[in-house]
Each structure stands twice: as C-alpha cells, then as structure tokens.
Amino acid sequence: MSAIVDNIKGKATPTEALLPTATASTRADSVFDSLRTAIVRGELSPGSKINEPQLSKLYGISRGPLREAIRRLEGCKLVEIKANVGARVVELDIQKAIEIYEIREALEGLACGLAAERATSADCDRLRALLARHEAQIESEDGKRYYQKEGDLDFHYLIVSLSGNTRLFNLLCDELYHLLRLYRVQTSSQPSRPAQAFKEHHRIVDAIEERDAMLAELLMRRHIASAKATLLAQLDHDSELNPIDVGS
Amino acid sequence: MSAIVDNIKGKATPTEALLPTATASTRADSVFDSLRTAIVRGELSPGSKINEPQLSKLYGISRGPLREAIRRLEGCKLVEIKANVGARVVELDIQKAIEIYEIREALEGLACGLAAERATSADCDRLRALLARHEAQIESEDGKRYYQKEGDLDFHYLIVSLSGNTRLFNLLCDELYHLLRLYRVQTSSQPSRPAQAFKEHHRIVDAIEERDAMLAELLMRRHIASAKATLLAQLDHDSELNPIDVGS
DNA sequence: TTCAATATTATTGTCTACAATTTTTGGTTT
DNA sequence: AAACCAAAAATTGTAGACAATAATATTGAA
C-alpha cells in the first residue's frame, strides 16, 4: 500500500499543468488537486476506499481540510460518499461510459457549434497551430503515445474554451474530462485510431473556420460517437478478461 | 436504474421527492438541504456573504460540517468560494442565464429524445396523468400559480427521469434545476405563458408516445428556447429598473 | 464446522480551540 | 476633506480530541 501512496505524492507531468488551478493557496485546495490527480492516474484504484486517517497522515494535514477536499471530489463525481461509511473512488463500468458519452456528445456538439459561430481568426490560428503540433507528434512514437493520451483532450479543451460558454467549459473540463482520463487509464487505454482522429479534428477545424456551425456540431458529434464506440469495444473486451473486481 | 429515479417514478409530484433529500442522516447533509432551499427560495439573497459563525450558530452546528455543506453547495454552483475570503451566494445575471439555457437546451433535448426511445407505455400513462393534473390546475387561480412555479419543472423532471440516463438526471435535477428556481424567484417570476407551455408539453408527450425521438428532441429544444426568451426578456426588463445591486 | 451474538477495533461525524488571513476601524499626514 | 498606514476586530483555515457509527474479531452454541 505504501508504495502506491508514495507514488501519489510524486508530482506532475507536463500535461498536468494545463488543468489544475494555478494557485492552490489553501491546504485543502492543494490536497484536492493531489487527490484528483492520483485518482485520474489510477494510483487510487477505482472502487478503493478513501481512508481519512491514512490520507491525512500521508499529506500531513488534519482531517478537516481533507474532508473538504473529498467533498469537492464528490462534486466532480470522482468519489462517491455514503454517510457514516465514507468515500470510495468511483467505479467505472460500461453503463456509466454510455451515459457519459451521451452527455458528452450533446455538450461538445453544442460547444463546437458555438465555437464555429464565435471563433475569431486568431482563434482559428490557434486551432491550426495545435493541429500542426499534433501532426508532427504523430510522426514520432513518443509523440504518438502522447497524442493518444492527452493530445486529443487538448484539442477538445481548446474547442470548448472557444465556445465562450464558461459554464459549459467548467462542466466539461472540471468534471467530464477527468472522468475520461480515468477511463483511459483503466482500459488498457489508447483510442488506437490516432490517424483517423487527427483527420476528424482537421475537418472540424475546417468547419469552424468556415463558420459552418451546423457542420461543426455534426462532425464533433460524430467524432465523439467514434470515440465512444472504440471505448465501449475496449471495455467490453476487458470485461470478458476480468469479470468483476471490487477494490480493497 | 438509480434509486433516485425509481423514487421519483413512484411519487405523485417529483418535486416532493427531490427537494428534501430522503433521509439526511448527518448534520452536514441536513444543513446542506436547508441552505440549498434557503438559497433557491431567495431567503439568502444572491451575492450575499455566507457567514460561517453566524450560520453555524443559526443551525446549531459547528463550523466543520457547515463548511462541508458549503463545499457541496459550491458543487451545485449555488455559491462561489474564494480562498481566505469565503463563500457568497451566486449572482445571477443575463450572461449566466444565456449559458445555462444553452446547456439546458442541449441536455434536455437529449433527455427528451432518449425518453422517446425508452419510455414504456406505463411511462406514457404517467406523462398523460401529469398533463391531466396540470390541465386541471390551469383552471383554478391557485393551481395556475403552482403550475407556473413548480408544475413546469415537475414535467421536466419526469421526462429526464424517463431518459434512463442517471448522470444526466443528476446533472439536471441536482444542479441546473435549482439554479432555474433561483432565477424564477429573483425575476418578478412567472413565465406567464402557462397555456402556451401546457400546449407544448402536450405535443412533446405526443411525440414520445409515438416513439418519435427526433421530433421529441426538437419540440423540447423549442420549448426551452421559448422559456429562455421569456426569461431573458424579463431579466432585461428588470435590469433596467434596478441596475446593479451587490449584496451585503 | 458454521452460524449468530457480542466485544473490540477502526473509521466517520462533530466539536472546540487556535493560527493565519482578511476586513474594518482609527488615527495621522498631506 | 482625502489618502494612507497601523492597530483592532472579525472571519477563514487548520489542528486535535471526543462521540457516534460501522467494520472486524472473538466467543459461544448448535
């Protein structure tokens, strides 16, 4: 157990700097970030118990701020709390994946349509630059691995931010995307269709640049539907290998 | 399907099932419910400070569980917390209303389409029964007032629960709908188009009964777009009367 | 051995007190 | 007066201890 716990404190990868709040001025904030990272990396395995005395000792804080951090994780749907029993890291199953992707398709379709309506030409430049970076990454093996793991989300992150809808951005980036990360870690991972995904990204940017909101929305919905199908196939395959496994 | 959804399916009026969380076994849960109710009723005015010593005294609990309740309110987007400064009841403005309704239109459109695909004939009976009840209420003055205040949401609760998507249900009913209530209280209220809304509800149920998912989604989106227009007009009108008002 | 009831331990829920920070107050200077 | 700085008050953040509940272990009986 302590080996797992030791890993948790180990700090960030480059991609990590994108998402967490810049200034974690309070201990509770800091521990919230750490725990969230640990969960989405799979270092706290799905279904496992959140032990307050243990974690408060690990992070060197008292249980008060720790419990507040756990409440925030509950808000992100990363843990589930039962009264008088405690919190457990969320369990991911196929049913939940279906639900998440139904929602994601609707929301990112919306975001992409809004982005097409609202993106400035400077915004389009940013999209093009990101595509170029991804294209270069697909060449190298390491880059391809990164693209499959985080690059795809970077693209979606940018689109959503261009939608101009702050609440939508928070909903997707603070909640759904972290859950998607967790799925990626849990399945043997990889969408394993990087070239196809890149092509789809390209067409989406084309539609945005042409201010074609309807097409942009349609293409994004399809793009996500493809990702959904890939994930479900993967989950289906995995579930045949290891049927059920309730965390410690 | 989740216990929550089952619970709601079994109740006469969904609002009753949802507002007071089943059994608030812990003090923090109980205070969370109380605070949420106080906020959506406008008893804690938008923008006002959440004073921890004051509230803990009021509810007769210490600050620990109170702070956890506040964190949960933050998760519902009902308060905004700044580190070392504290929490304030969320301020509602036109921009936020637009964002919320953009999201709501996408999500409830999705929900309604799913409901059309999945509703059993028993579910359709429940929808018809609800419509009949609302039709009766429109006759009386009191009933009309209720219909405008809560009856509309009851209809939407039921539709969303019929979507079968638990996460979608939670997203809408635990977060968005409470915010909508807050808007209704804050504006001089009333959608003031009960007859029109009832007609739209009726057509939506028709589409669901006919298993016409695309039409159901379209009609729901239009229904919400109408509500959005009404709310924005109201907010616009109100903002001319009292320009800006930062809570105490 | 297996099951059930009980005793023990561990964990969660809560309270009180203290430290850190912010907000307010009051005074001083220009 | 107005603006600025310092002291005081209030509020938030955190720690540690105790109470209530759940999980575990132990004992006894069938």
Side-chain angles (χ1 to χ4, degrees), chain A residues 5-70:
Chain A
V5 184
D6 284 343
N7 261 342
I8 294 168
K9 292 192 88 171
K11 274 252 165 166
T13 64
T15 52
E16 182 127 349
L18 298 177
L19 293 165
T21 56
T23 55
S25 57
T26 188
R27 290 173 215 270
D29 290 342
S30 157
V31 168
F32 167 73
D33 283 342
S34 301
L35 279 176
R36 186 175 59 178
T37 301
I39 291 173
V40 302
R41 281 186 187 165
E43 293 160 5
L44 257 53
S45 50
S48 64
K49 184 81 197 306
I50 300 286
N51 187 307
E52 293 180 10
Q54 177 189 333
L55 285 178
S56 69
K57 204 169 168 186
L58 170 66
Y59 288 112
I61 62 170
S62 68
R63 282 175 51 224
L66 175 65
R67 283 171 65 89
E68 288 186 39
I70 292 172

Side-chain angles (χ1 to χ4, degrees), chain B residues 26-28 60-62 65 84-85:
Chain B
T26 187
R27 291 174 216 269
I61 62 171
S62 69
N84 290 311
V85 173

Side-chain angles (χ1 to χ4, degrees), chain B residues 214-236:
Chain B
M214 286 194 65
L215 182 60
E217 172 170 352
L218 176 72
L219 290 175
M220 180 59 89
R221 292 183 79 117
R222 270 199 208 160
H223 176 57
I224 291 169
S226 297
K228 174 186 182 180
T230 305
L231 175 63
L232 291 183
Q234 186 73 46
L235 283 175
D236 219 36

Side-chain angles (χ1 to χ4, degrees), chain A residues 91-147:
Chain A
E91 288 266 22
L92 298 182
D93 54 34
I94 293 181
Q95 180 57 34
K96 280 181 187 163
I98 291 173
E99 293 190 358
I100 289 172
Y101 268 84
E102 281 176 353
I103 294 168
R104 189 187 173 197
E105 188 178 321
L107 290 184
E108 286 209 44
L110 168 64
C112 200
L114 291 175
E117 290 173 4
R118 297 168 183 176
T120 67
S121 68
D123 294 331
C124 292
D125 291 345
R126 291 177 60 196
L127 282 166
R128 292 283 175 210
L130 186 63
L131 283 186
R133 208 151 60 242
H134 285 169
E135 188 163 29
Q137 283 171 345
I138 283 187
E139 310 284 318
S140 74
E141 266 311 306
D142 282 4
K144 191 184 284 181
R145 280 239 318 287
Y146 170 79
Y147 178 66

